[in-house]
Amino acid sequence: MATDYDVPAIRRTHDILRVLAGRRTPAKAAELAQACQLAKSTLYLLLDCLEQRRWIERKDGGYVIGIELMALGAAYLRHDGLAAAFHAAAGDFVARCNEVVQLAVLDGFDVVYLAREDARRPVRLVSDLGLRLPAHACALGKALLANLPPDELAARVPAELPRVTDRTLATPDALYRELDQVRQTGLGQDHEEMATGLVCYAAYVGVTPLGKRAAVSTSIPTDRLDDAHRRAVTDGIREVARRIAQQVIPAI
């Protein structure tokens, strides 16, 4: 049986990096000390060590995530060819539909964005790589949750589901009913549940050899979504998922 060990230096480093990753501006040492509940002497030792290894960098009197940490994190996408397969399939989708395509994986009850192929439009939607979204509120999350074994799904769904917009599913029962629809149609849908004025469609890719449970989606402003375009993008996003699965998902 696995045992949970706590190495204080690693835990503290993790806390510091999570704070920095969630910031759009540099975080000052005093802010980090307060957010991570660290003594200044301990904090400065850790910051110095991380800066020497370029996991963090100084900027404008504070700290930001460093280039070495980005390079290490990028290895996550290279191991099973998921990113390469995604960009090949997503590029064809963008050429046909001129809409953004996103790749994400399930982590707990969160969706985490791994890659994005942008549309050829002057105004682009923001789905930063590494961004986390609650799975119940987005099409990607529904596509991923719907393909979990029942016992694993029940273990992940919390008793209370936070609302992101007025249309977000608010109860586990409502989520389970929608997941039944996803299983029938093969398509996760989000109608302004994550962002007002935005509709998303997602399709499940599968589980990679390294255990990543992946899905792809497209996000479209409601003001340019007519019936013909809806058919094109829903058929297209299923095709993107199918092509990626052919490349990276082992045949059973």
Side-chain angles (χ1 to χ4, degrees):
M1 181 179 296
T3 303
D4 290 333
Y5 294 101
D6 182 34
V7 180
I10 294 177
R11 170 170 45 81
R12 292 163 181 162
T13 297
H14 177 78
D15 291 344
I16 291 169
L17 295 175
R18 286 299 298 269
V19 171
L20 295 181
R23 293 283 299 266
R24 291 188 176 273
T25 58
K28 298 185 183 301
E31 296 172 311
L32 291 170
Q34 182 176 10
C36 301
Q37 296 296 294
L38 290 174
K40 288 185 177 180
S41 58
T42 300
L43 175 67
Y44 281 114
L45 284 172
L46 289 170
L47 292 176
D48 184 60
C49 183
L50 293 172
E51 187 180 5
Q52 288 182 38
R53 287 157 180 79
R54 304 187 73 187
W55 284 29
I56 64 173
E57 297 172 5
R58 294 193 198 213
K59 184 177 181 182
D60 299 335
Y63 296 88
V64 297
I65 294 293
I67 192 169
E68 180 64 16
L69 192 61
M70 184 279 293
L72 292 171
Y76 184 79
L77 294 175
R78 295 197 300 268
H79 291 315
D80 50 19
L82 184 59
F86 165 76
H87 285 297
D92 290 343
F93 176 92
V94 171
R96 293 193 308 272
C97 299
N98 198 20
E99 300 291 353
V100 67
V101 192
Q102 296 136 154
L103 171 72
V105 294
L106 189 65
D107 183 32
F109 197 64
D110 288 340
V111 166
V112 182
Y113 284 94
L114 297 187
R116 182 182 71 234
E117 191 79 16
D118 281 319
R120 304 180 306 276
R121 297 182 184 274
V123 178
R124 296 178 178 177
L125 302 175
V126 177
S127 49
D128 291 338
L129 305 190
L131 177 69
R132 287 178 174 267
L133 298 179
H136 71 287
C138 62
L140 278 165
K142 294 172 189 177
L144 289 161
L145 292 173
N147 285 277
L148 287 173
D151 56 343
E152 189 174 347
L153 174 63
R156 293 192 191 218
V157 176
E160 296 184 3
L161 303 180
R163 282 191 181 274
V164 182
T165 73
D166 291 341
R167 298 194 177 193
T168 307
L169 299 177
T171 66
D173 285 345
L175 175 61
Y176 290 137
R177 287 194 295 270
E178 182 139 347
L179 295 182
D180 285 338
Q181 293 295 317
V182 176
R183 296 183 191 103
Q184 293 174 27
T185 63
L187 195 71
Q189 302 186 44
D190 154 18
H191 295 275
E192 301 186 88
E193 296 164 51
M194 194 68 230
T196 301
L198 198 65
V199 174
C200 301
Y201 300 102
Y204 183 64
V205 172
V207 182
T208 74
L210 293 181
K212 301 172 192 172
R213 191 174 291 273
V216 289
S217 76
T218 185
S219 304
I220 306 163
T222 55
D223 61 5
R224 65 168 182 255
L225 189 63
D226 57 25
D227 288 342
H229 195 42
R230 181 182 293 105
R231 287 192 296 272
V233 298
T234 54
D235 289 347
I237 205 65
R238 289 188 181 99
E239 175 65 11
V240 171
R242 186 189 67 80
R243 285 183 55 187
I244 296 171
Q246 286 180 332
Q247 294 295 317
V248 301
I249 307 301
I252 298 176

